[in-house]
Amino acid sequence: MIKLKIKKNIYWILLTSIFAQPSFADGLSPYSTSELEQLEKEFVQQINQSESVERNPLASQYINRIGKNLAHAGHIKTPDFFIVKSNEINAFAGPGGHIGINSQLILTTSTESELAGVMAHEIAHVRLHHLYRMLEHQKQMRVPMLASILATAALGVINPTVGMAGMMGALTGFSQDNINFTRSKEKEADRIGIDMLTKAGYNPKGMAAFFKKMQENSRYYYTANVPAILRTHPLDGDRIAEAENRIAQSSHKKHVDSPEYHLVKELIRTSVTREPKALFDYYEHQCNKKTPTHACQYGYALTLINNNNYAKAATILTPLLAENNNLYFQIAMAQAETGMSQHKAALTRLEEIQKNYPDNYAALMAYAQGLLAANQNEKATSILLKGSRKYKHDLPLCRELARAQAQSHQKSYAYFTQAQCLLLEGQKRAAVAQLKVARGLAKKDPYLSARISAKIDEIVN
């Protein structure tokens, strides 16, 4: 335990040294374009390898929809948001516009505008190229190690593949000027983020409201329990005052939280909380009020589904669906029906959902999973193959497709797809091994054999 604590302390010193480096030139990075592309690729691969990422399709789709709205308002390429399962309140803008938002941060927000405020701030960091400017003096660090360190920062964990000697060798000093540089960049991101929030129709006061929550957390600042967001996003009274002054000068309309915001919070709560009793106690308290919210009842139903009490979950979901026939309640009911082996009812529901939401990622995934549970593997394969053309780099879809092909006895294709999934994780050696098995099984399929050989050549050359 002591050794782990020492490693964590050294690790945070390293992160501080990287993210607090002053910039003395107008150039964005000492790395070449190809090196930056490789950095982004390896960063994403390491994120894909992690089990700390919450990959629920509904939650991922929601968080990226907000990101798309904000990016459109800010005239920037739409970033990729992913949710990190963590008890720490933090967010991190990685290379290439891949941004991690911790689950606890989402749960800590009180309004959709607070959540959008954090996301707008991170998008602003991307738009202003802050990460690349902070890496200006890290040229001595090789791209694979740098990608590993950045992924570790985004996931909030220590990556054992990063050697301690390499970490110590990357340290480049720390001073008050470095802190001031980071704070100036935070204020710059606040300014851009507030403008983005206003133009996207969110209440920019949400950003300042969340700052105040973090300021309350700063009472731990001089203890060992420094909130993660304060380590990577320095906060002081001057920054809050500046943000509030800018917000007061902006014209904005009142923003009403979407029902989806509250439902996603409960979906995340039930996904990341490991103790079922804690969840049952929470919902028993929250849902026993005179007028329990739909979100509370939805969260309770999800908890029941996760603990195999499908009949009771269906009883709770039935009146919810009668009031609001939305995607969240429909998918949850289909999961309850599947759990009770009512596959015909579940598939009828899921097929109707896909007809109503033909371009919806979560609807596609729910339908495919329902088909697999009903042992309709060929149809699931067909649905997922169509989806894979649109979501080429989606790891959960890739894994489900490999499973569907295996259960359809399309073994050569299953191995080929599994190799593609491994490549998304950066596991080239394992991918080649899968491809060689696939080639052995595809001797009577010249088209697939050619694809496999081309893929092997692409990896090894």
Side-chain angles (χ1 to χ4, degrees), residues 273-425:
T273 304
R274 296 179 181 178
E275 293 296 327
K277 186 179 183 304
L279 280 173
F280 280 121
D281 289 346
Y282 173 82
Y283 287 116
E284 184 177 349
H285 174 71
Q286 292 293 319
C287 298
N288 274 340
K289 297 175 180 178
K290 288 185 179 180
T291 54
T293 65
H294 285 182
C296 178
Q297 293 170 302
Y298 172 66
Y300 184 35
L302 291 180
T303 303
L304 289 165
I305 290 169
N306 292 340
N307 287 276
N308 304 323
N309 196 338
Y310 305 110
K312 191 171 181 179
T315 301
I316 292 169
L317 289 165
T318 299
L320 292 179
L321 279 166
E323 288 188 50
N324 190 332
N325 197 24
N326 70 34
L327 189 63
Y328 290 77
F329 299 160
Q330 288 278 24
I331 289 177
M333 180 61 91
Q335 290 170 340
E337 289 168 337
T338 298
M340 293 185 286
S341 298
Q342 297 175 6
H343 296 296
K344 185 176 180 180
L347 290 180
T348 299
R349 185 183 303 279
L350 291 169
E351 187 174 11
E352 186 66 21
I353 290 171
Q354 240 229 320
K355 286 179 182 177
N356 293 334
Y357 302 93
D359 299 319
N360 190 287
Y361 167 69
L364 181 150
M365 291 292 285
Y367 188 30
Q369 289 163 352
L371 287 166
L372 286 169
N375 205 31
Q376 295 190 26
N377 303 309
E378 290 82 3
K379 194 168 184 179
T381 300
S382 176
I383 293 290
L384 289 164
L385 270 173
K386 289 178 184 176
S388 68
R389 297 185 189 108
K390 183 175 182 180
Y391 306 104
K392 294 180 181 179
H393 305 293
D394 187 76
L395 185 60
L397 193 152
C398 183
R399 288 172 174 171
E400 289 289 34
L401 176 57
R403 181 163 75 102
Q405 289 169 329
Q407 291 178 191
S408 301
H409 306 294
Q410 302 175 36
K411 289 186 177 179
S412 55
Y413 280 93
Y415 278 106
F416 179 73
T417 301
Q418 182 58 26
Q420 304 274 41
C421 302
L422 289 166
L423 287 174
L424 290 175
E425 298 175 332

Side-chain angles (χ1 to χ4, degrees), residues 8 11 57 83 125 162 177-178 185 195 217 239 247 251 303 305 329 332 342 366 424 451 461:
K8 282 187 176 181
Y11 186 74
I83 300 169
H125 277 310
V162 181
D177 288 341
N178 298 29
K185 295 306 177 190
D195 183 61
N217 275 324
R239 181 181 162 200
I247 290 166
S251 58
T303 303
I305 290 169
F329 299 160
Q342 297 175 6
L424 290 175
R451 286 181 69 193
N461 293 330

